[in-house]
Amino acid sequence: MGLPEERSGTGSGSGSESRSRSGERTRSWSPPPELSRIAHVPSMARYRELHGRSVLEPREFWGDIAKEFFWKTPCSGPFLQYNFDVTKGKIFIEWMKGATTNICYNVLDRNVNEKKLGDRVAFYWEGNEPGEATQITYRELLTQVCRCANALRKQGIRKGDRVSIYMPMILELVVAMLACARLGALHSIVFAGFSAESLCERILDSSCTLLITADAFYRGEKLVNLKELVDEALHKCQEKGFPVKRCIVVKHLGRAELGTGDSPGHSPPLKRPCQDLQDKTKEKPMSKRPQIPWNQGVDLWWHEILGDAGEECEPEWCDAEDPLFILYTSGSTGKPKGVVHTIGGYMLYTATSFKYVFDFHEDDVFWCTADIGWITGHSYVTYGPLANGATSVLFEGIPTYPDVSRLWNIVDKYKVTKFYTAPTAIRLLMKFGDEPVTKYSRASLQVLGTVGEPINPEAWLWYYRVVGDQRCPVVDTFWQTETGGHMLTPLPGATPMKPGSATFPFFGVAPAILNESGEELEGEAEGYLVFKQPWPGIMRTVYGNHERFEATYFRKFPGYYVTGDGCRRDKDGYYWITGRIDDMLNVSVREKISPIATPDYIQNAPGLPKTRSGKIMRRVLRKIAQNDHDLGDTSTVADQSVIGHLFSHRCQTVL
């Protein structure tokens, strides 16, 4: 796609042009010199040096980074062992196996006790309503996590147990996931926008014995009675022979009823309430509070079980290859895949990618708008920022409530320096023009980021010009739930940017483009995007189904991790994600496609059923083509109305 006409010499970064082999003109922007001067990676030469070492000497490269973290016992055996080739045996990846650590200790205790960051703000929490706000420091967060871990331990949670978490974007969500990590229990976080059926399915798949949720929350003007959905899910679990023993409920909408303050960071009553934080929390507007159903013998109030819990909790020391969490992602069969990430490698990879991709410095205020229910929230709301001692914004609301300026109001309020959001949100806000953005200063912004799907050049340019005032590099990141962290991405102080391109591989990542025969293509090329060797953040298995793990990611091209995405590499070596490989069908001219392969019917549509991360749900399209309304779980579909439109305008076929 050609870009609109550009004037050179505008903005902080300099621009240049190149042409692809198709003759298409592509404009690139260099990083602003003032940012490059202080960047961790200030030039492409330095990037190439670091990337080369990370790929050729991965054990030494990641071994040096591992020294920055706390290990109860060091790795005494091989630092890395793996097999990517199904023809040679079982697929496995092991980083630092035998070393013991605890990720919660590394992101909290280490920052409070060793780095003396106890008084630094860990999160500014911004509620759904403007005026709902609080903050929590690293020391206060550590205290709350220890209390929660002690409370969970009292409920029988031990290392290796699975805990389901179904919560809105409140601070207790961060506390709960870190408390699980402290105990060596696996958290399985389910996005609070999913249905009761989806929650039930995920609880059953991983045999979660305990569920943590909240009473209810507002998403914009919409009230979500979360506890009602939870009860429906637990009833379904009971019917299927798996009763969940305990359900812990945060009194979120009903905080004021407790009469001990309104701070999400300190679910009352507390043994030692932090009056300073409570004073900073604005009074919530009167809003509709639903009746909360209660199941005696199963349900427990969060504030009651944490109220008398101890403030110190010894962490469970775990092997680097012990599982940290399960996160379900959409599967082509309709059954979600439980992606398993492990402690040591995931910790190193999220911490390192956060530091370099966002060029993190100590005075930054970072804001990733993703929900923690997605991998982006796991890696770049919780673990990556906290591992670096960062201050972040945690936002409960949506970009358009109470008006379309909400994001930029928050940017100015907290002086956000690094901002990370989805192309979907950018395109949505573009529709309302520049004025809702430009009426706010945004002078604090230094780096912008995108995540979730490839960003189209028009949206990239609007983001760069209007939101970033042509002075903020845009890091267009490509990665997956399965990869744990960024795979292809610019580095803000080093990489000349091309709108729509994820540019180059991150440290430890060795990409290749294959043709249908599995041959590696050199130079300008287009085909299957694969990775040739493991990086620390790669998933280790599908929970309870290693065969599915091998079949999905390694069987098509033995010796490679197969992303399932198509990719183009241009003459400058830049990578461009073209979409899911099996979503593409060339029907442009009859001469290029055999008559036997020509589709019988072509149905025009305003959109396709996609997940919130932009993946087309092909199994749903197959069902529509067959006029089969039994679609299975569609809770991950971003816009349910698309399915109805496709059915109602379905081509009439004769079999």
Side-chain angles (χ1 to χ4, degrees), residues 42 122 180 218 226 242 244 254 260 270 274 301 310 327 340 367 398 425 431 526 555 597 600-601 606:
C180 290
Y218 277 91
L226 211 55
F242 188 81
V244 174
T260 55
L270 296 172
C274 181
W301 283 116
L327 184 58
V340 176
W367 184 15
I398 59 176
K431 296 177 182 178
E526 185 167 351
R555 191 159 294 163
D600 294 319
Y601 304 94

Side-chain angles (χ1 to χ4, degrees), residues 132 170 214-218 223 249-263 267-268 284-285 287-290 292 301 303:
E132 290 183 331
I170 55 178
D215 51 2
F217 69 101
Y218 277 91
L223 174 64
V249 186
V250 174
K251 205 162 202 175
H252 176 50
L253 279 194
R255 290 180 200 275
E257 299 167 10
L258 297 170
T260 55
D262 209 22
S263 168
S267 292
K284 289 185 180 179
S287 56
K288 179 183 175 185
R289 294 196 181 116
I292 304 302
W301 283 116
H303 60 271

Side-chain angles (χ1 to χ4, degrees), residues 564 579-584 618:
R580 303 298 288 177
I581 280 286
D582 41 5
D583 290 341
M584 300 179 224
R618 299 173 298 287

Side-chain angles (χ1 to χ4, degrees), residues 46-119:
R46 179 60 175 155
Y47 159 74
R48 293 188 187 98
E49 177 188 342
L50 288 168
H51 180 261
R53 180 170 183 254
S54 72
V55 171
L56 296 174
E57 302 174 351
R59 294 162 180 83
E60 293 78 6
F61 181 87
W62 294 106
D64 287 345
I65 290 174
K67 294 172 186 174
E68 300 172 16
F69 294 86
F70 177 82
W71 304 90
K72 187 71 171 178
T73 55
C75 177
S76 56
F79 194 83
L80 168 63
Q81 294 189 102
Y82 74 97
N83 173 43
F84 265 18
D85 191 339
V86 289
T87 67
K88 295 180 179 178
K90 180 181 178 181
I91 298 297
F92 73 96
I93 306 103
E94 294 174 349
W95 288 87
M96 302 167 289
K97 188 172 177 63
T100 59
T101 189
N102 183 283
I103 194 169
C104 179
Y105 183 92
N106 274 283
V107 303
L108 293 181
D109 304 63
R110 186 175 59 106
N111 282 322
V112 172
N113 300 321
E114 295 174 28
K115 297 191 173 183
K116 309 303 179 186
L117 301 178
D119 294 331

Side-chain angles (χ1 to χ4, degrees), residues 641-654:
S641 67
V642 168
I643 296 176
H645 184 281
L646 289 172
F647 268 120
S648 62
H649 292 79
R650 180 178 169 275
C651 297
Q652 295 302 310
T653 60
V654 179

Side-chain angles (χ1 to χ4, degrees), residues 524-568:
E524 283 188 82
E526 185 167 351
Y528 292 86
L529 176 64
V530 299
F531 298 117
K532 299 197 280 187
Q533 63 189 55
W535 56 100
I538 186 175
M539 69 181 288
R540 301 306 199 259
T541 190
V542 170
Y543 187 81
N545 195 342
H546 195 73
E547 194 279 332
R548 188 180 184 189
F549 172 62
E550 295 184 338
T552 303
Y553 305 103
F554 297 94
R555 191 159 294 163
K556 184 173 181 65
F557 297 119
Y560 300 92
Y561 168 89
V562 181
T563 66
D565 284 294
C567 184
R568 174 173 65 87

Side-chain angles (χ1 to χ4, degrees), residues 394-412:
L394 188 69
F395 179 43
E396 182 187 27
I398 59 176
T400 54
Y401 180 82
D403 58 55
V404 296
S405 290
R406 185 71 188 278
L407 299 186
W408 323 122
N409 173 284
I410 295 171
V411 165
D412 279 6

Side-chain angles (χ1 to χ4, degrees), residues 40-330:
H40 295 301
V41 182
S43 66
M44 283 301 290
R46 179 60 175 155
Y47 159 74
R48 293 188 187 98
E49 177 188 342
L50 288 168
H51 180 261
R53 180 170 183 254
S54 72
V55 171
L56 296 174
E57 302 174 351
R59 294 162 180 83
E60 293 78 6
F61 181 87
W62 294 106
D64 287 345
I65 290 174
K67 294 172 186 174
E68 300 172 16
F69 294 86
F70 177 82
W71 304 90
K72 187 71 171 178
T73 55
C75 177
S76 56
F79 194 83
L80 168 63
Q81 294 189 102
Y82 74 97
N83 173 43
F84 265 18
D85 191 339
V86 289
T87 67
K88 295 180 179 178
K90 180 181 178 181
I91 298 297
F92 73 96
I93 306 103
E94 294 174 349
W95 288 87
M96 302 167 289
K97 188 172 177 63
T100 59
T101 189
N102 183 283
I103 194 169
C104 179
Y105 183 92
N106 274 283
V107 303
L108 293 181
D109 304 63
R110 186 175 59 106
N111 282 322
V112 172
N113 300 321
E114 295 174 28
K115 297 191 173 183
K116 309 303 179 186
L117 301 178
D119 294 331
R120 176 175 291 179
V121 172
F123 289 102
Y124 291 112
W125 181 79
E126 179 79 11
N128 182 65
E129 293 288 338
E132 290 183 331
T134 192
Q135 63 187 50
I136 189 168
T137 66
Y138 273 84
R139 182 175 289 108
E140 292 160 346
L141 183 57
L142 173 59
T143 298
Q144 291 301 305
V145 168
C146 286
R147 281 182 172 165
C148 184
N150 284 326
L152 292 178
R153 191 171 269 162
K154 193 173 182 180
Q155 296 303 319
I157 296 300
R158 298 291 184 266
K159 180 182 178 182
D161 290 345
R162 280 79 59 207
V163 174
S164 182
I165 302 175
Y166 185 58
M167 298 174 80
M169 285 285 281
I170 55 178
L171 288 171
E172 287 88 350
L173 171 51
V174 177
V175 171
M177 64 195 297
L178 291 177
C180 290
R182 196 168 190 87
L183 297 179
L186 287 70
H187 56 72
S188 172
I189 300 177
V190 180
F191 173 56
F194 281 0
S195 66
E197 179 63 40
S198 298
L199 175 59
C200 168
E201 185 177 40
R202 288 154 173 78
I203 289 172
L204 292 175
D205 186 74
S206 53
S207 303
C208 296
T209 56
L210 185 143
L211 172 64
I212 306 175
T213 189
D215 51 2
F217 69 101
Y218 277 91
R219 185 170 176 82
E221 295 181 336
K222 181 183 179 182
L223 174 64
V224 181
N225 191 330
L226 211 55
K227 183 57 167 61
E228 205 169 71
L229 293 168
V230 161
D231 284 1
E232 183 184 342
L234 296 188
H235 180 69
K236 291 176 184 290
C237 289
Q238 179 88 36
E239 288 182 330
K240 294 177 181 181
F242 188 81
V244 174
K245 299 174 184 176
R246 288 286 183 269
C247 177
I248 299 172
V249 186
V250 174
K251 205 162 202 175
H252 176 50
L253 279 194
R255 290 180 200 275
E257 299 167 10
L258 297 170
T260 55
D262 209 22
S263 168
H266 300 270
S267 292
L270 296 172
K271 291 174 103 175
R272 289 201 293 269
C274 181
Q275 192 59 44
D276 180 53
L277 288 188
Q278 293 179 9
D279 290 344
K280 291 177 184 175
T281 306
K282 311 295 191 300
E283 185 177 351
K284 289 185 180 179
M286 291 302 294
S287 56
K288 179 183 175 185
R289 294 196 181 116
Q291 289 294 314
I292 304 302
W294 201 254
N295 299 314
Q296 206 66 35
V298 174
D299 295 343
L300 299 166
W301 283 116
W302 171 285
H303 60 271
E304 290 180 356
I305 65 170
L306 263 67
D308 59 357
E311 295 184 358
E312 294 183 0
C313 177
E314 178 69 13
E316 185 76 30
W317 302 107
C318 304
D319 192 279
E321 280 299 322
D322 282 344
L324 172 61
F325 64 81
I326 305 165
L327 184 58
Y328 287 87
T329 186
S330 55

